[in-house]
Amino acid sequence: MNILITIFFILILGFLTSKLKINVQSIEKEKNDLKIKFNINFGFYLFGIIKILGISLQENGIDCLGIHFSYSKIKLEKDSLEIFKEFSVFQLLKYLHPKLEKLNLKLTIGTEDVILTAVLVFISSTFLSIVGAKNRKQINFKQYSYQINPVYNKNQLSFQIASKVSVKMVDLIKTISYIKKNKKKKINSPTIKKIPLKI
């Protein structure tokens, strides 16, 4: 009996300390190509160390447990997309508490207007520095780097991104429960009918 209780508590502890790790191996867009190439791996890690499940996303489809799924065969429900209408990305990030373990960004921006190019480069670099300053606890600055290159008198956009992000399963569960609670409140809340005014 004591052995079963011990195993039960170990499993609970393993689940509570487990993490979802997102390894963005590459997201690339070349200057003369409109297509974005990407290779993103999702991994569920027990105790934050032992990998128990892996999912790989590429431009040609999804790989999971040795099975390949093309995007054309995957159907998303309307409810799953409505989450982003009700909650902003910043709201979701606030509840998820993601830790940025690595970021390597190379961005090239160019327009035919020299002033506009300079402004875009300034805005991009300022945004990344503000994100870094406001999220010091969630970012590993030893692996945090970005490079923004301006190209003048020419329309051009290319980038290369490689990063690692981890989210605790506890925070993920809290976020899912928060979304469900808000959905129930929205469904149960009385709707106010608008009465047209006649003049």
Side-chain angles (χ1 to χ4, degrees), residues 107-190:
L107 176 64
T108 302
I109 304 173
T111 65
E112 293 178 354
D113 191 330
V114 175
I115 296 171
L116 180 60
T117 302
V119 170
L120 289 172
V121 170
F122 173 75
I123 290 169
S124 302
S125 58
T126 304
F127 174 76
L128 288 167
S129 60
I130 289 169
V131 168
K134 285 193 173 184
N135 299 277
R136 289 181 181 180
K137 293 180 180 179
Q138 283 80 32
I139 294 175
N140 179 14
F141 283 99
K142 291 179 180 178
Q143 297 289 328
Y144 185 80
S145 64
Y146 58 88
Q147 183 181 347
I148 301 171
N149 301 314
V151 176
Y152 298 105
N153 301 317
K154 187 179 180 181
N155 292 324
Q156 186 176 319
L157 177 64
S158 62
F159 53 82
Q160 292 179 342
I161 304 170
S163 69
K164 288 182 181 179
V165 182
S166 64
V167 179
K168 291 179 180 177
M169 287 301 294
V170 175
D171 293 326
L172 186 62
I173 292 163
K174 283 180 181 178
T175 306
I176 293 166
S177 62
Y178 172 76
I179 291 167
K180 285 185 176 180
K181 281 179 183 178
N182 276 269
K183 275 190 175 182
K184 284 181 181 178
K185 283 181 182 178
K186 193 175 180 181
I187 292 165
N188 295 328
S189 61

Side-chain angles (χ1 to χ4, degrees), residues 28-43:
E28 296 181 12
K29 183 194 174 296
E30 296 179 0
K31 58 182 179 181
N32 296 322
D33 193 0
L34 295 173
K35 191 177 180 181
I36 297 173
K37 299 176 183 178
F38 59 91
N39 186 1
I40 306 169
N41 295 322
F42 294 81

Side-chain angles (χ1 to χ4, degrees), residues 9 34 37 44 54 60 62 90 99 102 127 132 150 175 188:
F9 276 107
L34 295 173
K37 299 176 183 178
F44 294 91
N60 61 347
I62 300 170
F90 292 103
K99 185 178 180 182
K102 176 187 173 182
F127 174 76
T175 306
N188 295 328

Side-chain angles (χ1 to χ4, degrees), residues 74-91:
I74 300 168
K75 293 181 180 179
L76 289 173
E77 294 181 2
K78 290 182 179 179
D79 293 341
S80 59
L81 297 173
E82 283 178 0
I83 292 169
F84 297 100
K85 291 181 181 179
E86 296 175 14
F87 305 95
S88 67
V89 175
F90 292 103
Q91 273 183 306

Side-chain angles (χ1 to χ4, degrees), residues 64 70 74 92 96 118 182:
C64 181
S70 61
I74 300 168
L92 293 172
L96 285 170
N182 276 269

